Amino acid sequence: MQEVQSSELKRGLSARHIRFIALGSAIGTGLFYGSAKAIQAAGPSVLIAYLIAGAAVYMVMRALGEMAVHNPMAGSFGQYASQSLGPLAGFITGWTYTFEMIIVCLADVTAFGLYMGFWYPDVPQWIWVLAIVLLIGGLNLCTVKLFGELEFWLSLLKVAAIVAMIAGGLGIMLFGIGLSADAPATGVHNLWQNGGFMPNGIGGLIASLAVVVFAFGGIEIIGITAGEAKDPGRTIPRAINAVPLRILLFYVLTLFVLMAIFPWSQIGSQGSPFVQIFDQLGIPSAATILNIVVISAAVSAINSDIFGAGRMLYGMAQQGQAPRGFAAVSRRGVPWMTVVVMSAALLIGVVLNYLIPKDVFLLIASIATFATVWVWLMILLSQFNMRRKMDPREAAQLKFPVPLWPAGPILAIAFMVFVILVLGYFPNTQAALIVGAVWIALLCIAYRLWVLPQRKAAQVRVPEQGAPQNPSRPLTQGSD
């Protein structure tokens, strides 16, 4: 029993930690920079895209919450997919999530190097990238409580910046702060006076969904924290119920204020929308303020992504779907091997960044979108199948059931399938769908060649080890 005890994670995340981990993981580059691309695609109607995607993501979170409260575990939705949809589905889901985290981390560590170059242009970029990988990797090897504290303060800084931007934008819009006498009028009318509310038609609205969905990516990490939450039955529902509304307010209200101040076609033309707001307010250090915010966003994302991928691999290793070494846990209750491997993967990725052209790097971002939507689809399907197999009495005892069952999950599943089809329809994202399909095909082959034979061998060994010496003597329960 001692071996089992030493391989367990420690529950050190409080409700405050989990709430801000989930909030911070979904507020980052997608809002600070990516929102401009979504606006250019859909115009003011991008607000509808965020509302629709936000509703679907909330259903994903409730589906994950139902399973996490019912059965909290470190592998989270990877293990739920194995239990509900079969080991192959769990294997694909877990490795696809890990793949997604590595890609997003790769983008964030490179972005960190670029951001630091703003202050120190003479320092080679790779030095900053190496420093942040080693720093975050080291912090993730400490206690999970330290990870939670770091993520709390980084997320708090991002939230404060968004609140400041919204307040500043409302000041410009309502009181004309920073506007010259000949400046064009600001107000809600800007949402429909520059080519209409939907200037690029329904096609533009649909095209923006890929960017919008990517912006919400990462929020599923809240399910992974359940394995290390002090009181998952209380903290997980509170975090899930609070976060989606706040994210919708941050995204929708922020973009509403932006498009009420500036014509939508001008947003992003001068860099980040945040810079435009602060410049309009006459703040001379607007670029420096934004740099601090985006650096905190990048560090927060790297921190949570290493945590999420590490815990996923830990859970998969326990199921025999990843190398057994990934289940090794330090005395502090941290799966140290997964942290080391993730950090090493990022160092290799840093080298590759110098070899990958910019257009290919944008392709990788769209591949991450495919991975995100795939993981969300698996979460919804796992919950749907798990609930469908429950008898009415067991379903009635669920502490955090999905609302609007079964219509809500079905609509969310249909939306995720639609987004995957959207990736295949538009030329600039078609390659992402092809790469995603190839990735899943390779995982199926890997499962058949390596995982399946081990599972069959394990199933054969268990009866052999438990077989009675004397066939006439029955085997007692618990004899193994």
Side-chain angles (χ1 to χ4, degrees), residues 53-180:
V57 170
Y58 178 66
M59 192 57 64
V60 172
M61 294 301 295
R62 286 300 301 262
L64 182 55
E66 177 181 300
M67 295 184 291
V69 172
H70 183 62
N71 184 20
M73 56 178 61
S76 189
F77 41 86
Q79 295 200 33
Y80 300 143
S82 292
Q83 294 173 355
S84 181
L85 304 174
L88 176 59
F91 178 79
I92 293 175
T93 301
W95 280 107
T96 300
Y97 176 75
T98 304
F99 175 65
E100 173 197 350
M101 292 298 98
I102 290 175
I103 290 176
V104 174
C105 261
L106 179 58
D108 285 321
V109 295
T110 305
F112 177 83
L114 293 171
Y115 297 152
M116 292 302 294
F118 173 80
W119 289 318
Y120 305 99
D122 297 330
V123 178
Q125 180 180 323
W126 68 267
I127 291 180
W128 298 117
V129 173
L130 177 64
I132 194 61
V133 169
L134 294 178
L135 174 64
I136 298 299
L139 289 173
N140 270 268
L141 288 174
C142 299
T143 62
V144 69
K145 184 178 180 180
L146 178 62
F147 159 79
E149 281 297 321
L150 178 63
E151 198 62 22
F152 170 79
W153 290 108
L154 290 172
S155 298
L156 192 61
L157 178 59
K158 288 189 288 186
V159 170
I162 296 170
V163 171
M165 194 204 104
I166 292 173
L170 290 173
I172 295 172
M173 188 170 67
L174 299 177
F175 306 108
I177 298 175
L179 292 177
S180 59

Side-chain angles (χ1 to χ4, degrees), residues 125-286:
Q125 180 180 323
W126 68 267
I127 291 180
W128 298 117
V129 173
L130 177 64
I132 194 61
V133 169
L134 294 178
L135 174 64
I136 298 299
L139 289 173
N140 270 268
L141 288 174
C142 299
T143 62
V144 69
K145 184 178 180 180
L146 178 62
F147 159 79
E149 281 297 321
L150 178 63
E151 198 62 22
F152 170 79
W153 290 108
L154 290 172
S155 298
L156 192 61
L157 178 59
K158 288 189 288 186
V159 170
I162 296 170
V163 171
M165 194 204 104
I166 292 173
L170 290 173
I172 295 172
M173 188 170 67
L174 299 177
F175 306 108
I177 298 175
L179 292 177
S180 59
D182 58 345
T186 63
V188 181
H189 62 272
N190 270 333
L191 295 179
W192 58 79
Q193 280 196 349
N194 301 283
F197 183 73
M198 198 177 291
N200 296 327
I202 190 69
L205 176 64
I206 293 174
S208 72
L209 284 174
V211 180
V212 170
V213 168
F214 178 71
F216 285 110
I219 194 172
E220 66 276 2
I221 193 175
I222 194 171
I224 294 177
T225 64
E228 289 164 274
K230 291 180 179 178
D231 184 7
R234 182 177 63 89
T235 57
I236 297 299
R238 285 189 177 183
I240 288 177
N241 284 333
V243 169
L245 179 59
R246 294 179 185 179
I247 289 178
L248 283 176
L249 286 175
F250 285 138
Y251 274 96
V252 176
L253 186 56
T254 299
L255 299 189
F256 171 80
V257 170
L258 266 175
M259 291 184 289
I261 297 173
F262 307 102
W264 68 269
S265 56
Q266 295 180 12
I267 295 175
S269 60
Q270 302 172 22
S272 168
F274 275 58
V275 172
Q276 290 180 262
I277 288 283
F278 289 131
D279 277 343
Q280 192 72 57
L281 288 170
I283 300 176
S285 55

Side-chain angles (χ1 to χ4, degrees), residues 159-452:
V159 170
I162 296 170
V163 171
M165 194 204 104
I166 292 173
L170 290 173
I172 295 172
M173 188 170 67
L174 299 177
F175 306 108
I177 298 175
L179 292 177
S180 59
D182 58 345
T186 63
V188 181
H189 62 272
N190 270 333
L191 295 179
W192 58 79
Q193 280 196 349
N194 301 283
F197 183 73
M198 198 177 291
N200 296 327
I202 190 69
L205 176 64
I206 293 174
S208 72
L209 284 174
V211 180
V212 170
V213 168
F214 178 71
F216 285 110
I219 194 172
E220 66 276 2
I221 193 175
I222 194 171
I224 294 177
T225 64
E228 289 164 274
K230 291 180 179 178
D231 184 7
R234 182 177 63 89
T235 57
I236 297 299
R238 285 189 177 183
I240 288 177
N241 284 333
V243 169
L245 179 59
R246 294 179 185 179
I247 289 178
L248 283 176
L249 286 175
F250 285 138
Y251 274 96
V252 176
L253 186 56
T254 299
L255 299 189
F256 171 80
V257 170
L258 266 175
M259 291 184 289
I261 297 173
F262 307 102
W264 68 269
S265 56
Q266 295 180 12
I267 295 175
S269 60
Q270 302 172 22
S272 168
F274 275 58
V275 172
Q276 290 180 262
I277 288 283
F278 289 131
D279 277 343
Q280 192 72 57
L281 288 170
I283 300 176
S285 55
T288 299
I289 293 173
L290 177 69
N291 212 45
I292 294 173
V293 173
V294 294
I295 282 175
S296 70
V299 173
S300 172
I302 298 165
N303 192 37
S304 61
D305 292 344
I306 289 179
F307 171 88
R311 269 51 176 187
M312 177 62 71
L313 288 174
Y314 167 83
M316 294 179 68
Q318 288 188 319
Q319 285 193 314
Q321 295 182 338
R324 299 174 71 97
F326 287 152
V329 174
S330 70
R331 287 180 299 174
R332 297 184 178 93
V334 174
W336 63 271
M337 180 62 78
T338 62
V339 174
V340 171
V341 170
M342 278 292 293
S343 301
L346 292 182
L347 292 176
I348 296 172
V350 170
V351 177
L352 293 177
N353 258 284
Y354 291 98
L355 307 175
I356 296 177
K358 187 177 180 181
D359 55 342
V360 178
F361 201 70
L362 293 174
L363 168 65
I364 290 179
S366 59
I367 294 172
T369 303
F370 170 84
T372 298
V373 177
W374 176 271
V375 168
W376 289 351
L377 181 61
M378 290 298 103
I379 291 172
L380 289 165
L381 290 175
S382 298
Q383 183 275 332
F384 188 86
N385 205 33
M386 199 172 290
R387 174 74 80 87
R388 192 174 56 85
K389 292 178 179 178
M390 287 183 181
D391 59 63
R393 185 175 59 182
E394 188 180 4
Q397 293 176 348
L398 288 171
K399 296 180 180 178
F400 193 51
V402 166
L404 304 176
W405 169 264
I410 290 174
L411 288 174
I413 289 169
F415 176 78
M416 298 305 163
V417 173
F418 178 72
V419 173
I420 292 176
L421 295 177
V422 166
L423 289 175
Y425 179 79
F426 292 97
N428 58 340
T429 56
Q430 282 176 351
L433 185 59
I434 295 172
V435 172
V438 171
W439 166 256
I440 290 175
L442 289 175
L443 286 178
C444 290
I445 295 171
Y447 180 84
R448 185 170 183 82
L449 292 179
W450 290 295
V451 180
L452 191 59

Side-chain angles (χ1 to χ4, degrees), residues 324 453-467 480:
R324 299 174 71 97
Q454 292 179 6
R455 289 182 61 85
K456 290 181 177 179
Q459 290 173 354
V460 170
R461 283 197 301 269
V462 170
E464 288 179 351
Q465 291 173 356
D480 55 348

